[in-house]
PDB file of all heavy atoms in Angstrom:
ATOM      1  N   ASP A   9    -119.625 144.537 -41.532  1.00  0.00           N
ATOM      2  CA  ASP A   9    -118.294 143.881 -41.562  1.00  0.00           C
ATOM      3  C   ASP A   9    -117.384 144.596 -42.423  1.00  0.00           C
ATOM      4  O   ASP A   9    -116.092 144.583 -42.144  1.00  0.00           O
ATOM      5  CB  ASP A   9    -118.559 142.484 -42.205  1.00  0.00           C
ATOM      6  CG  ASP A   9    -119.367 141.690 -41.187  1.00  0.00           C
ATOM      7  OD1 ASP A   9    -119.288 141.905 -39.983  1.00  0.00           O
ATOM      8  OD2 ASP A   9    -119.983 140.602 -41.634  1.00  0.00           O
ATOM      9  N   GLU A  10    -117.774 145.282 -43.542  1.00  0.00           N
ATOM     10  CA  GLU A  10    -116.869 146.001 -44.300  1.00  0.00           C
ATOM     11  C   GLU A  10    -116.281 147.219 -43.693  1.00  0.00           C
ATOM     12  O   GLU A  10    -115.179 147.469 -43.730  1.00  0.00           O
ATOM     13  CB  GLU A  10    -117.533 146.442 -45.707  1.00  0.00           C
ATOM     14  CG  GLU A  10    -117.927 145.312 -46.645  1.00  0.00           C
ATOM     15  CD  GLU A  10    -118.854 145.699 -47.742  1.00  0.00           C
ATOM     16  OE1 GLU A  10    -119.584 146.739 -47.540  1.00  0.00           O
ATOM     17  OE2 GLU A  10    -118.908 145.035 -48.759  1.00  0.00           O
ATOM     18  N   LEU A  11    -117.253 147.884 -42.943  1.00  0.00           N
ATOM     19  CA  LEU A  11    -116.747 148.945 -42.196  1.00  0.00           C
ATOM     20  C   LEU A  11    -115.735 148.655 -41.074  1.00  0.00           C
ATOM     21  O   LEU A  11    -114.760 149.297 -40.727  1.00  0.00           O
ATOM     22  CB  LEU A  11    -117.990 149.795 -41.494  1.00  0.00           C
ATOM     23  CG  LEU A  11    -118.879 150.537 -42.467  1.00  0.00           C
ATOM     24  CD1 LEU A  11    -120.086 151.005 -41.763  1.00  0.00           C
ATOM     25  CD2 LEU A  11    -118.058 151.706 -43.052  1.00  0.00           C
ATOM     26  N   LEU A  12    -116.072 147.648 -40.427  1.00  0.00           N
ATOM     27  CA  LEU A  12    -115.133 147.067 -39.436  1.00  0.00           C
ATOM     28  C   LEU A  12    -113.765 146.712 -40.071  1.00  0.00           C
ATOM     29  O   LEU A  12    -112.763 147.103 -39.459  1.00  0.00           O
ATOM     30  CB  LEU A  12    -115.732 145.869 -38.678  1.00  0.00           C
ATOM     31  CG  LEU A  12    -114.932 145.156 -37.608  1.00  0.00           C
ATOM     32  CD1 LEU A  12    -114.613 146.191 -36.537  1.00  0.00           C
ATOM     33  CD2 LEU A  12    -115.581 143.913 -37.109  1.00  0.00           C
ATOM     34  N   ALA A  13    -113.842 146.068 -41.087  1.00  0.00           N
ATOM     35  CA  ALA A  13    -112.573 145.731 -41.724  1.00  0.00           C
ATOM     36  C   ALA A  13    -111.745 146.932 -42.085  1.00  0.00           C
ATOM     37  O   ALA A  13    -110.504 146.995 -41.937  1.00  0.00           O
ATOM     38  CB  ALA A  13    -112.751 144.792 -43.073  1.00  0.00           C
ATOM     39  N   GLN A  14    -112.370 148.024 -42.600  1.00  0.00           N
ATOM     40  CA  GLN A  14    -111.707 149.290 -42.834  1.00  0.00           C
ATOM     41  C   GLN A  14    -111.229 149.886 -41.645  1.00  0.00           C
ATOM     42  O   GLN A  14    -110.117 150.437 -41.539  1.00  0.00           O
ATOM     43  CB  GLN A  14    -112.709 150.174 -43.601  1.00  0.00           C
ATOM     44  CG  GLN A  14    -112.979 149.733 -44.960  1.00  0.00           C
ATOM     45  CD  GLN A  14    -114.078 150.620 -45.677  1.00  0.00           C
ATOM     46  OE1 GLN A  14    -114.233 151.731 -45.206  1.00  0.00           O
ATOM     47  NE2 GLN A  14    -114.633 150.157 -46.770  1.00  0.00           N
ATOM     48  N   ALA A  15    -112.036 149.948 -40.598  1.00  0.00           N
ATOM     49  CA  ALA A  15    -111.580 150.588 -39.266  1.00  0.00           C
ATOM     50  C   ALA A  15    -110.431 149.866 -38.619  1.00  0.00           C
ATOM     51  O   ALA A  15    -109.526 150.496 -38.126  1.00  0.00           O
ATOM     52  CB  ALA A  15    -112.751 150.489 -38.365  1.00  0.00           C
ATOM     53  N   LEU A  16    -110.357 148.526 -38.751  1.00  0.00           N
ATOM     54  CA  LEU A  16    -109.289 147.773 -38.197  1.00  0.00           C
ATOM     55  C   LEU A  16    -107.966 148.129 -38.918  1.00  0.00           C
ATOM     56  O   LEU A  16    -106.848 147.739 -38.427  1.00  0.00           O
ATOM     57  CB  LEU A  16    -109.506 146.326 -38.145  1.00  0.00           C
ATOM     58  CG  LEU A  16    -110.704 145.888 -37.131  1.00  0.00           C
ATOM     59  CD1 LEU A  16    -111.064 144.563 -37.404  1.00  0.00           C
ATOM     60  CD2 LEU A  16    -110.300 146.277 -35.738  1.00  0.00           C
ATOM     61  N   ARG A  17    -107.937 148.614 -40.093  1.00  0.00           N
ATOM     62  CA  ARG A  17    -106.759 148.877 -40.837  1.00  0.00           C
ATOM     63  C   ARG A  17    -106.205 150.332 -40.452  1.00  0.00           C
ATOM     64  O   ARG A  17    -105.089 150.674 -40.906  1.00  0.00           O
ATOM     65  CB  ARG A  17    -106.923 148.842 -42.398  1.00  0.00           C
ATOM     66  CG  ARG A  17    -107.127 147.479 -42.874  1.00  0.00           C
ATOM     67  CD  ARG A  17    -107.126 147.255 -44.390  1.00  0.00           C
ATOM     68  NE  ARG A  17    -108.249 147.914 -45.040  1.00  0.00           N
ATOM     69  CZ  ARG A  17    -109.294 147.341 -45.378  1.00  0.00           C
ATOM     70  NH1 ARG A  17    -109.555 146.070 -45.145  1.00  0.00           N
ATOM     71  NH2 ARG A  17    -110.293 147.986 -45.991  1.00  0.00           N
ATOM     72  N   LEU A  18    -107.031 151.061 -39.663  1.00  0.00           N
ATOM     73  CA  LEU A  18    -106.561 152.365 -39.356  1.00  0.00           C
ATOM     74  C   LEU A  18    -105.429 152.283 -38.315  1.00  0.00           C
ATOM     75  O   LEU A  18    -105.392 151.375 -37.586  1.00  0.00           O
ATOM     76  CB  LEU A  18    -107.761 153.144 -38.649  1.00  0.00           C
ATOM     77  CG  LEU A  18    -108.972 153.549 -39.557  1.00  0.00           C
ATOM     78  CD1 LEU A  18    -110.038 154.036 -38.684  1.00  0.00           C
ATOM     79  CD2 LEU A  18    -108.432 154.489 -40.638  1.00  0.00           C
ATOM     80  N   ALA A  19    -104.639 153.368 -38.100  1.00  0.00           N
ATOM     81  CA  ALA A  19    -103.695 153.396 -37.146  1.00  0.00           C
ATOM     82  C   ALA A  19    -104.354 153.402 -35.725  1.00  0.00           C
ATOM     83  O   ALA A  19    -105.586 153.822 -35.590  1.00  0.00           O
ATOM     84  CB  ALA A  19    -102.991 154.771 -37.287  1.00  0.00           C
ATOM     85  N   PRO A  20    -103.697 152.974 -34.724  1.00  0.00           N
ATOM     86  CA  PRO A  20    -104.307 152.838 -33.366  1.00  0.00           C
ATOM     87  C   PRO A  20    -105.038 154.210 -32.804  1.00  0.00           C
ATOM     88  O   PRO A  20    -106.079 154.098 -32.332  1.00  0.00           O
ATOM     89  CB  PRO A  20    -103.212 152.404 -32.436  1.00  0.00           C
ATOM     90  CG  PRO A  20    -102.306 151.703 -33.372  1.00  0.00           C
ATOM     91  CD  PRO A  20    -102.373 152.437 -34.694  1.00  0.00           C
ATOM     92  N   GLU A  21    -104.280 155.327 -33.068  1.00  0.00           N
ATOM     93  CA  GLU A  21    -104.772 156.554 -32.641  1.00  0.00           C
ATOM     94  C   GLU A  21    -106.185 156.834 -33.382  1.00  0.00           C
ATOM     95  O   GLU A  21    -107.072 157.335 -32.821  1.00  0.00           O
ATOM     96  CB  GLU A  21    -103.883 157.686 -32.850  1.00  0.00           C
ATOM     97  CG  GLU A  21    -102.527 157.420 -32.133  1.00  0.00           C
ATOM     98  CD  GLU A  21    -101.563 156.692 -32.864  1.00  0.00           C
ATOM     99  OE1 GLU A  21    -101.683 156.399 -34.108  1.00  0.00           O
ATOM    100  OE2 GLU A  21    -100.610 156.120 -32.249  1.00  0.00           O
ATOM    101  N   ASP A  22    -106.243 156.539 -34.734  1.00  0.00           N
ATOM    102  CA  ASP A  22    -107.387 156.853 -35.469  1.00  0.00           C
ATOM    103  C   ASP A  22    -108.632 155.915 -35.045  1.00  0.00           C
ATOM    104  O   ASP A  22    -109.630 156.277 -34.956  1.00  0.00           O
ATOM    105  CB  ASP A  22    -107.141 156.731 -36.921  1.00  0.00           C
ATOM    106  CG  ASP A  22    -106.244 157.859 -37.406  1.00  0.00           C
ATOM    107  OD1 ASP A  22    -106.115 158.918 -36.903  1.00  0.00           O
ATOM    108  OD2 ASP A  22    -105.437 157.457 -38.428  1.00  0.00           O
ATOM    109  N   ARG A  23    -108.156 154.588 -34.708  1.00  0.00           N
ATOM    110  CA  ARG A  23    -109.214 153.636 -34.195  1.00  0.00           C
ATOM    111  C   ARG A  23    -109.797 154.237 -32.829  1.00  0.00           C
ATOM    112  O   ARG A  23    -111.024 154.183 -32.578  1.00  0.00           O
ATOM    113  CB  ARG A  23    -108.613 152.298 -34.093  1.00  0.00           C
ATOM    114  CG  ARG A  23    -108.371 151.624 -35.431  1.00  0.00           C
ATOM    115  CD  ARG A  23    -108.193 150.152 -35.280  1.00  0.00           C
ATOM    116  NE  ARG A  23    -107.320 149.647 -34.216  1.00  0.00           N
ATOM    117  CZ  ARG A  23    -106.102 149.408 -34.382  1.00  0.00           C
ATOM    118  NH1 ARG A  23    -105.478 149.612 -35.496  1.00  0.00           N
ATOM    119  NH2 ARG A  23    -105.386 149.014 -33.198  1.00  0.00           N
ATOM    120  N   ALA A  24    -108.811 154.592 -32.035  1.00  0.00           N
ATOM    121  CA  ALA A  24    -109.443 155.218 -30.750  1.00  0.00           C
ATOM    122  C   ALA A  24    -110.278 156.355 -30.951  1.00  0.00           C
ATOM    123  O   ALA A  24    -111.389 156.458 -30.185  1.00  0.00           O
ATOM    124  CB  ALA A  24    -108.128 155.466 -29.762  1.00  0.00           C
ATOM    125  N   ARG A  25    -109.920 157.310 -31.817  1.00  0.00           N
ATOM    126  CA  ARG A  25    -110.753 158.417 -32.060  1.00  0.00           C
ATOM    127  C   ARG A  25    -112.062 158.086 -32.609  1.00  0.00           C
ATOM    128  O   ARG A  25    -113.134 158.614 -32.276  1.00  0.00           O
ATOM    129  CB  ARG A  25    -109.943 159.410 -32.967  1.00  0.00           C
ATOM    130  CG  ARG A  25    -110.718 160.746 -33.143  1.00  0.00           C
ATOM    131  CD  ARG A  25    -109.940 161.751 -33.954  1.00  0.00           C
ATOM    132  NE  ARG A  25    -108.545 161.853 -33.603  1.00  0.00           N
ATOM    133  CZ  ARG A  25    -107.535 161.538 -34.352  1.00  0.00           C
ATOM    134  NH1 ARG A  25    -107.701 161.180 -35.518  1.00  0.00           N
ATOM    135  NH2 ARG A  25    -106.241 161.642 -33.930  1.00  0.00           N
ATOM    136  N   LEU A  26    -112.078 157.090 -33.564  1.00  0.00           N
ATOM    137  CA  LEU A  26    -113.276 156.628 -34.133  1.00  0.00           C
ATOM    138  C   LEU A  26    -114.285 155.985 -33.048  1.00  0.00           C
ATOM    139  O   LEU A  26    -115.453 156.180 -33.027  1.00  0.00           O
ATOM    140  CB  LEU A  26    -113.017 155.608 -35.258  1.00  0.00           C
ATOM    141  CG  LEU A  26    -114.158 154.930 -35.975  1.00  0.00           C
ATOM    142  CD1 LEU A  26    -115.136 156.013 -36.569  1.00  0.00           C
ATOM    143  CD2 LEU A  26    -113.812 154.054 -37.039  1.00  0.00           C
ATOM    144  N   ALA A  27    -113.608 155.074 -32.301  1.00  0.00           N
ATOM    145  CA  ALA A  27    -114.395 154.496 -31.228  1.00  0.00           C
ATOM    146  C   ALA A  27    -115.049 155.566 -30.299  1.00  0.00           C
ATOM    147  O   ALA A  27    -116.260 155.436 -29.881  1.00  0.00           O
ATOM    148  CB  ALA A  27    -113.568 153.569 -30.394  1.00  0.00           C
ATOM    149  N   HIS A  28    -114.254 156.528 -29.941  1.00  0.00           N
ATOM    150  CA  HIS A  28    -114.795 157.516 -29.057  1.00  0.00           C
ATOM    151  C   HIS A  28    -115.990 158.294 -29.635  1.00  0.00           C
ATOM    152  O   HIS A  28    -117.013 158.492 -29.066  1.00  0.00           O
ATOM    153  CB  HIS A  28    -113.691 158.510 -28.724  1.00  0.00           C
ATOM    154  CG  HIS A  28    -114.069 159.709 -27.809  1.00  0.00           C
ATOM    155  ND1 HIS A  28    -114.325 159.415 -26.520  1.00  0.00           N
ATOM    156  CD2 HIS A  28    -114.265 161.004 -28.100  1.00  0.00           C
ATOM    157  CE1 HIS A  28    -114.667 160.584 -25.957  1.00  0.00           C
ATOM    158  NE2 HIS A  28    -114.730 161.511 -26.989  1.00  0.00           N
ATOM    159  N   GLU A  29    -115.770 158.584 -30.998  1.00  0.00           N
ATOM    160  CA  GLU A  29    -116.906 159.354 -31.691  1.00  0.00           C
ATOM    161  C   GLU A  29    -118.130 158.500 -31.873  1.00  0.00           C
ATOM    162  O   GLU A  29    -119.262 158.997 -31.635  1.00  0.00           O
ATOM    163  CB  GLU A  29    -116.302 159.885 -33.089  1.00  0.00           C
ATOM    164  CG  GLU A  29    -115.313 160.962 -32.905  1.00  0.00           C
ATOM    165  CD  GLU A  29    -114.733 161.304 -34.229  1.00  0.00           C
ATOM    166  OE1 GLU A  29    -115.211 160.877 -35.338  1.00  0.00           O
ATOM    167  OE2 GLU A  29    -113.770 162.041 -34.248  1.00  0.00           O
ATOM    168  N   LEU A  30    -117.954 157.209 -32.126  1.00  0.00           N
ATOM    169  CA  LEU A  30    -119.136 156.321 -32.233  1.00  0.00           C
ATOM    170  C   LEU A  30    -119.833 156.165 -30.973  1.00  0.00           C
ATOM    171  O   LEU A  30    -121.057 156.216 -30.787  1.00  0.00           O
ATOM    172  CB  LEU A  30    -118.691 154.908 -32.628  1.00  0.00           C
ATOM    173  CG  LEU A  30    -118.235 154.850 -34.168  1.00  0.00           C
ATOM    174  CD1 LEU A  30    -117.584 153.487 -34.443  1.00  0.00           C
ATOM    175  CD2 LEU A  30    -119.465 155.071 -35.000  1.00  0.00           C
ATOM    176  N   LEU A  31    -119.134 156.061 -29.791  1.00  0.00           N
ATOM    177  CA  LEU A  31    -119.683 156.105 -28.403  1.00  0.00           C
ATOM    178  C   LEU A  31    -120.429 157.342 -28.142  1.00  0.00           C
ATOM    179  O   LEU A  31    -121.510 157.267 -27.540  1.00  0.00           O
ATOM    180  CB  LEU A  31    -118.604 155.671 -27.315  1.00  0.00           C
ATOM    181  CG  LEU A  31    -118.177 154.149 -27.500  1.00  0.00           C
ATOM    182  CD1 LEU A  31    -117.012 154.091 -26.392  1.00  0.00           C
ATOM    183  CD2 LEU A  31    -119.246 153.295 -27.067  1.00  0.00           C
ATOM    184  N   ASP A  32    -119.796 158.424 -28.440  1.00  0.00           N
ATOM    185  CA  ASP A  32    -120.457 159.741 -28.226  1.00  0.00           C
ATOM    186  C   ASP A  32    -121.672 159.946 -29.043  1.00  0.00           C
ATOM    187  O   ASP A  32    -122.659 160.596 -28.574  1.00  0.00           O
ATOM    188  CB  ASP A  32    -119.469 160.772 -28.601  1.00  0.00           C
ATOM    189  CG  ASP A  32    -118.525 161.206 -27.523  1.00  0.00           C
ATOM    190  OD1 ASP A  32    -118.696 160.748 -26.471  1.00  0.00           O
ATOM    191  OD2 ASP A  32    -117.641 162.031 -27.834  1.00  0.00           O
ATOM    192  N   SER A  33    -121.845 159.251 -30.176  1.00  0.00           N
ATOM    193  CA  SER A  33    -122.972 159.356 -31.011  1.00  0.00           C
ATOM    194  C   SER A  33    -124.155 158.521 -30.476  1.00  0.00           C
ATOM    195  O   SER A  33    -125.315 158.872 -30.923  1.00  0.00           O
ATOM    196  CB  SER A  33    -122.661 158.846 -32.449  1.00  0.00           C
ATOM    197  OG  SER A  33    -122.636 157.401 -32.390  1.00  0.00           O
TER     198      SER A  33
END
Protein backbone atom coordinates (compact mmCIF):
# COMPACT_ATOMS: atom_id res chain seq x y z
CA ASP A 1 0.00 0.00 0.00
CA GLU A 2 2.86 2.38 0.76
CA LEU A 3 4.54 1.57 -2.54
CA LEU A 4 1.28 2.04 -4.41
CA ALA A 5 0.68 5.42 -2.78
CA GLN A 6 4.18 6.51 -3.77
CA ALA A 7 3.78 5.21 -7.31
CA LEU A 8 0.48 7.05 -7.76
CA ARG A 9 2.25 10.32 -6.98
CA LEU A 10 4.58 9.84 -9.95
CA ALA A 11 4.08 11.64 -13.25
CA PRO A 12 1.98 9.64 -15.75
CA GLU A 13 5.02 8.83 -17.91
CA ASP A 14 6.92 7.51 -14.88
CA ARG A 15 3.92 5.42 -13.77
CA ALA A 16 3.70 3.92 -17.25
CA ARG A 17 7.41 3.10 -17.25
CA LEU A 18 7.14 1.57 -13.78
CA ALA A 19 4.12 -0.51 -14.78
CA HIS A 20 5.95 -1.76 -17.87
CA GLU A 21 9.02 -2.70 -15.85
CA LEU A 22 6.92 -4.50 -13.23
CA LEU A 23 5.10 -6.49 -15.91
CA ASP A 24 8.38 -7.35 -17.59
CA SER A 25 9.69 -8.65 -14.28
